[in-house]
PDB file of all heavy atoms in Angstrom:
ATOM      1  N   ARG A  97       5.000  13.329  12.391  1.00 94.00           N
ATOM      2  CA  ARG A  97       5.291  12.528  11.204  1.00 94.00           C
ATOM      3  C   ARG A  97       5.937  11.204  11.597  1.00 94.00           C
ATOM      4  O   ARG A  97       5.581  10.140  11.089  1.00 94.00           O
ATOM      5  CB  ARG A  97       6.175  13.330  10.248  1.00 94.00           C
ATOM      6  CG  ARG A  97       6.269  12.723   8.883  1.00 94.00           C
ATOM      7  CD  ARG A  97       6.890  13.635   7.856  1.00 94.00           C
ATOM      8  NE  ARG A  97       8.193  14.115   8.246  1.00 94.00           N
ATOM      9  CZ  ARG A  97       8.577  15.378   8.147  1.00 94.00           C
ATOM     10  NH1 ARG A  97       7.765  16.298   7.687  1.00 94.00           N
ATOM     11  NH2 ARG A  97       9.784  15.731   8.512  1.00 94.00           N
ATOM     12  N   GLU A 110       5.608  -4.808   5.837  1.00 92.00           N
ATOM     13  CA  GLU A 110       6.330  -4.702   4.572  1.00 92.00           C
ATOM     14  C   GLU A 110       5.458  -4.293   3.396  1.00 92.00           C
ATOM     15  O   GLU A 110       5.975  -3.924   2.345  1.00 92.00           O
ATOM     16  CB  GLU A 110       7.034  -6.028   4.263  1.00 92.00           C
ATOM     17  CG  GLU A 110       8.155  -6.320   5.231  1.00 92.00           C
ATOM     18  CD  GLU A 110       8.879  -7.608   4.880  1.00 92.00           C
ATOM     19  OE1 GLU A 110       8.750  -8.072   3.728  1.00 92.00           O
ATOM     20  OE2 GLU A 110       9.560  -8.138   5.764  1.00 92.00           O
ATOM     21  N   SER A 111       4.149  -4.349   3.567  1.00 96.00           N
ATOM     22  CA  SER A 111       3.268  -3.959   2.465  1.00 96.00           C
ATOM     23  C   SER A 111       3.166  -2.438   2.334  1.00 96.00           C
ATOM     24  O   SER A 111       2.598  -1.932   1.374  1.00 96.00           O
ATOM     25  CB  SER A 111       1.872  -4.544   2.642  1.00 96.00           C
ATOM     26  OG  SER A 111       1.228  -3.963   3.760  1.00 96.00           O
ATOM     27  N   CYS A 117       6.388  14.096   3.182  1.00 93.00           N
ATOM     28  CA  CYS A 117       6.809  15.464   2.890  1.00 93.00           C
ATOM     29  C   CYS A 117       6.184  16.374   3.933  1.00 93.00           C
ATOM     30  O   CYS A 117       5.276  15.971   4.654  1.00 93.00           O
ATOM     31  CB  CYS A 117       6.463  15.879   1.472  1.00 93.00           C
ATOM     32  SG  CYS A 117       4.749  15.691   1.053  1.00 93.00           S
ATOM     33  N   LEU A 124       2.058  18.726  -3.111  1.00 94.00           N
ATOM     34  CA  LEU A 124       1.591  18.918  -4.482  1.00 94.00           C
ATOM     35  C   LEU A 124       2.555  18.286  -5.484  1.00 94.00           C
ATOM     36  O   LEU A 124       2.140  17.663  -6.456  1.00 94.00           O
ATOM     37  CB  LEU A 124       1.404  20.410  -4.773  1.00 94.00           C
ATOM     38  CG  LEU A 124       0.747  20.765  -6.098  1.00 94.00           C
ATOM     39  CD1 LEU A 124      -0.605  20.084  -6.256  1.00 94.00           C
ATOM     40  CD2 LEU A 124       0.606  22.277  -6.223  1.00 94.00           C
ATOM     41  N   SER A 129       3.276  13.936  -9.407  1.00 94.00           N
ATOM     42  CA  SER A 129       4.412  13.223 -10.002  1.00 94.00           C
ATOM     43  C   SER A 129       4.006  12.074 -10.918  1.00 94.00           C
ATOM     44  O   SER A 129       4.840  11.541 -11.638  1.00 94.00           O
ATOM     45  CB  SER A 129       5.311  12.672  -8.892  1.00 94.00           C
ATOM     46  OG  SER A 129       4.642  11.617  -8.204  1.00 94.00           O
ATOM     47  N   GLY A 130       2.747  11.687 -10.867  1.00 91.00           N
ATOM     48  CA  GLY A 130       2.311  10.539 -11.657  1.00 91.00           C
ATOM     49  C   GLY A 130       2.280   9.254 -10.847  1.00 91.00           C
ATOM     50  O   GLY A 130       1.767   8.237 -11.299  1.00 91.00           O
ATOM     51  N   LYS A 131       2.865   9.282  -9.636  1.00 92.00           N
ATOM     52  CA  LYS A 131       2.787   8.115  -8.758  1.00 92.00           C
ATOM     53  C   LYS A 131       1.345   7.933  -8.320  1.00 92.00           C
ATOM     54  O   LYS A 131       0.621   8.903  -8.112  1.00 92.00           O
ATOM     55  CB  LYS A 131       3.641   8.323  -7.501  1.00 92.00           C
ATOM     56  CG  LYS A 131       5.103   8.468  -7.741  1.00 92.00           C
ATOM     57  CD  LYS A 131       5.804   8.747  -6.415  1.00 92.00           C
ATOM     58  CE  LYS A 131       7.223   9.176  -6.645  1.00 92.00           C
ATOM     59  NZ  LYS A 131       7.847   9.655  -5.390  1.00 92.00           N
ATOM     60  N   MET A 142       0.440  23.873   7.702  1.00 84.00           N
ATOM     61  CA  MET A 142       1.836  23.576   7.377  1.00 84.00           C
ATOM     62  C   MET A 142       2.383  24.694   6.504  1.00 84.00           C
ATOM     63  O   MET A 142       1.621  25.484   5.955  1.00 84.00           O
ATOM     64  CB  MET A 142       1.949  22.232   6.674  1.00 84.00           C
ATOM     65  CG  MET A 142       1.289  22.193   5.314  1.00 84.00           C
ATOM     66  SD  MET A 142       1.289  20.555   4.623  1.00 84.00           S
ATOM     67  CE  MET A 142      -0.406  20.446   4.122  1.00 84.00           C
ATOM     68  N   GLY A 144       4.106  26.547   3.233  1.00 69.00           N
ATOM     69  CA  GLY A 144       3.915  26.393   1.803  1.00 69.00           C
ATOM     70  C   GLY A 144       5.107  25.762   1.109  1.00 69.00           C
ATOM     71  O   GLY A 144       4.974  25.142   0.068  1.00 69.00           O
ATOM     72  N   ALA A 148      14.194  22.978   2.673  1.00 55.00           N
ATOM     73  CA  ALA A 148      15.354  23.189   1.813  1.00 55.00           C
ATOM     74  C   ALA A 148      15.160  24.342   0.833  1.00 55.00           C
ATOM     75  O   ALA A 148      16.118  24.823   0.247  1.00 55.00           O
ATOM     76  CB  ALA A 148      15.677  21.911   1.053  1.00 55.00           C
ATOM     77  N   ASN A 153      12.724  29.878   6.376  1.00 50.00           N
ATOM     78  CA  ASN A 153      12.900  30.327   7.750  1.00 50.00           C
ATOM     79  C   ASN A 153      12.097  31.591   8.037  1.00 50.00           C
ATOM     80  O   ASN A 153      11.920  31.961   9.181  1.00 50.00           O
ATOM     81  CB  ASN A 153      14.371  30.535   8.081  1.00 50.00           C
ATOM     82  CG  ASN A 153      15.064  31.426   7.071  1.00 50.00           C
ATOM     83  OD1 ASN A 153      14.471  31.836   6.082  1.00 50.00           O
ATOM     84  ND2 ASN A 153      16.325  31.703   7.317  1.00 50.00           N
ATOM     85  N   GLU A 158       0.766  27.946   7.249  1.00 60.00           N
ATOM     86  CA  GLU A 158      -0.512  28.485   6.803  1.00 60.00           C
ATOM     87  C   GLU A 158      -1.621  27.681   7.465  1.00 60.00           C
ATOM     88  O   GLU A 158      -1.565  26.465   7.516  1.00 60.00           O
ATOM     89  CB  GLU A 158      -0.627  28.358   5.287  1.00 60.00           C
ATOM     90  CG  GLU A 158       0.396  29.162   4.521  1.00 60.00           C
ATOM     91  CD  GLU A 158       0.259  28.967   3.015  1.00 60.00           C
ATOM     92  OE1 GLU A 158      -0.868  28.726   2.540  1.00 60.00           O
ATOM     93  OE2 GLU A 158       1.278  29.053   2.337  1.00 60.00           O
ATOM     94  N   ALA A 161      -3.242  25.335   4.614  1.00 89.00           N
ATOM     95  CA  ALA A 161      -2.425  24.875   3.492  1.00 89.00           C
ATOM     96  C   ALA A 161      -2.943  23.531   2.978  1.00 89.00           C
ATOM     97  O   ALA A 161      -2.907  23.265   1.779  1.00 89.00           O
ATOM     98  CB  ALA A 161      -0.959  24.766   3.891  1.00 89.00           C
ATOM     99  N   LEU A 166      -5.795  20.336  -1.323  1.00 95.00           N
ATOM    100  CA  LEU A 166      -6.985  19.649  -1.829  1.00 95.00           C
ATOM    101  C   LEU A 166      -7.599  20.402  -3.016  1.00 95.00           C
ATOM    102  O   LEU A 166      -8.029  19.779  -3.991  1.00 95.00           O
ATOM    103  CB  LEU A 166      -8.021  19.491  -0.711  1.00 95.00           C
ATOM    104  CG  LEU A 166      -7.636  18.556   0.429  1.00 95.00           C
ATOM    105  CD1 LEU A 166      -8.649  18.652   1.559  1.00 95.00           C
ATOM    106  CD2 LEU A 166      -7.504  17.127  -0.072  1.00 95.00           C
ATOM    107  N   LEU A 171      -8.450  20.889  -8.975  1.00 96.00           N
ATOM    108  CA  LEU A 171      -8.205  21.604 -10.238  1.00 96.00           C
ATOM    109  C   LEU A 171      -7.459  20.748 -11.250  1.00 96.00           C
ATOM    110  O   LEU A 171      -7.686  20.866 -12.450  1.00 96.00           O
ATOM    111  CB  LEU A 171      -7.407  22.884  -9.983  1.00 96.00           C
ATOM    112  CG  LEU A 171      -8.151  24.034  -9.320  1.00 96.00           C
ATOM    113  CD1 LEU A 171      -7.185  25.141  -8.944  1.00 96.00           C
ATOM    114  CD2 LEU A 171      -9.234  24.563 -10.250  1.00 96.00           C
ATOM    115  N   PRO A 177      -7.866   9.142  -2.078  1.00 97.00           N
ATOM    116  CA  PRO A 177      -8.582   9.217  -0.802  1.00 97.00           C
ATOM    117  C   PRO A 177      -7.723   9.952   0.232  1.00 97.00           C
ATOM    118  O   PRO A 177      -6.514   9.711   0.306  1.00 97.00           O
ATOM    119  CB  PRO A 177      -8.787   7.758  -0.404  1.00 97.00           C
ATOM    120  CG  PRO A 177      -8.590   6.970  -1.653  1.00 97.00           C
ATOM    121  CD  PRO A 177      -7.649   7.761  -2.505  1.00 97.00           C
ATOM    122  N   VAL A 181      -5.396  14.721   9.179  1.00 91.00           N
ATOM    123  CA  VAL A 181      -4.852  14.524  10.518  1.00 91.00           C
ATOM    124  C   VAL A 181      -4.347  15.872  10.998  1.00 91.00           C
ATOM    125  O   VAL A 181      -3.393  16.414  10.478  1.00 91.00           O
ATOM    126  CB  VAL A 181      -3.729  13.464  10.550  1.00 91.00           C
ATOM    127  CG1 VAL A 181      -4.275  12.087  10.351  1.00 91.00           C
ATOM    128  CG2 VAL A 181      -2.660  13.746   9.518  1.00 91.00           C
TER     129      VAL A 181
END
Side-chain angles (χ1 to χ4, degrees):
R97 193 168 55 226
E110 292 182 18
S111 67
C117 55
L124 188 55
S129 69
K131 297 177 192 171
M142 66 187 132
N153 52 356
E158 296 178 30
L166 293 172
L171 287 171
V181 289

